[in-house]
Amino acid sequence: MALRELASLEKYLGLKKPNKYSTQGDKKVPVLQNNNGPPLVGQVTIACHLVKDAKRPELLGDNAESRAVVQQWLEYKVTKLDRCCKEDIKTILKDLNLYLQDKVYLAGNQFTVADTLMYYGIHPLIVDLSIQEKEQHMNVTRWFDHIQHYPGVRHHLRPVAVLRNRIYTGRHH
């Protein structure tokens, strides 16, 4: 899954020459052979490298605090979201919903690489939610829908309907 997410990130960033990835270990940690030095290991390390390679430093945060928040969410994605089991999903969605209560993006009001990779990671969870479950996590649903419509992000992932269509009665409120 991480390799597909990195390939999608490359497309979003507009990198022309696709990188060659491999995996190592039982957990299939992504590895990028770097022509300029030793191989880069781990999704967070590789993602940050791709952003720098694309000359898009704003996606890593525009100040020290937002850069730290971006790193925090990238680590959260790899350590919590990517390794979650079915029992963890409700906790992850609840925590994320609470966090996004007063934010547009994961790093506040700025779209970053954290939004992109969290979107790729959470997509399979959102696809499996019922409309009622999506409504219980309204902030996650709002964020998810916003990111899936962000230009160039979705790529290979199918769009997800996030809200039920309301049938309005003839009564006026």
Side-chain angles (χ1 to χ4, degrees):
M1 186 62 125
L3 298 182
R4 179 178 262 188
E5 293 170 1
L6 289 169
S8 290
L9 179 61
E10 281 185 3
K11 287 178 188 171
Y12 166 71
L13 292 170
L15 295 172
K16 301 292 184 220
K17 192 174 86 180
N19 287 291
K20 298 218 185 306
Y21 299 101
S22 60
T23 58
Q24 74 179 24
D26 295 341
K27 295 183 180 173
K28 301 208 180 290
V29 175
V31 177
L32 170 62
Q33 281 306 126
N34 189 358
N35 294 336
N36 303 331
L40 301 175
V41 180
Q43 189 176 26
V44 172
T45 303
I46 295 169
C48 292
H49 169 77
L50 294 175
V51 168
K52 289 174 185 172
D53 198 32
K55 296 177 180 38
R56 300 278 308 273
E58 73 279 4
L59 292 176
L60 297 174
D62 59 1
N63 59 46
E65 182 181 348
S66 65
R67 283 189 292 275
V69 171
V70 168
Q71 285 297 312
Q72 169 191 313
W73 281 108
L74 291 174
E75 289 296 330
Y76 180 90
K77 189 235 178 250
V78 170
T79 60
K80 299 280 191 215
L81 185 60
D82 289 354
R83 296 181 181 154
C84 79
C85 59
K86 205 152 186 91
E87 296 79 41
D88 298 334
I89 293 171
K90 286 184 180 178
T91 302
I92 287 172
L93 290 173
K94 182 180 169 195
D95 292 347
L96 190 55
N97 195 62
L98 186 61
Y99 179 80
L100 287 167
Q101 187 172 351
D102 61 349
K103 292 169 187 64
V104 177
Y105 301 107
L106 294 173
N109 293 318
Q110 179 186 4
F111 178 82
T112 66
V113 68
D115 294 292
T116 305
L117 287 181
M118 280 291 288
Y119 166 77
Y120 295 146
I122 207 165
H123 188 277
L125 304 182
I126 300 295
V127 165
D128 289 341
L129 293 180
S130 68
I131 293 295
Q132 292 80 9
E133 289 170 315
K134 290 173 190 165
E135 288 176 347
Q136 288 173 358
H137 302 94
M138 206 55 163
N139 299 319
V140 174
T141 301
R142 171 189 46 79
W143 169 84
F144 180 88
D145 194 43
H146 183 65
I147 301 303
Q148 81 173 344
H149 288 95
Y150 201 88
V153 170
R154 196 173 64 232
H155 293 292
H156 68 280
L157 299 172
R158 67 182 175 97
V160 177
V162 293
L163 299 174
R164 82 173 81 204
N165 291 330
R166 304 219 185 261
I167 299 174
Y168 295 97
T169 63
R171 296 183 302 175
H172 292 89
H173 297 280

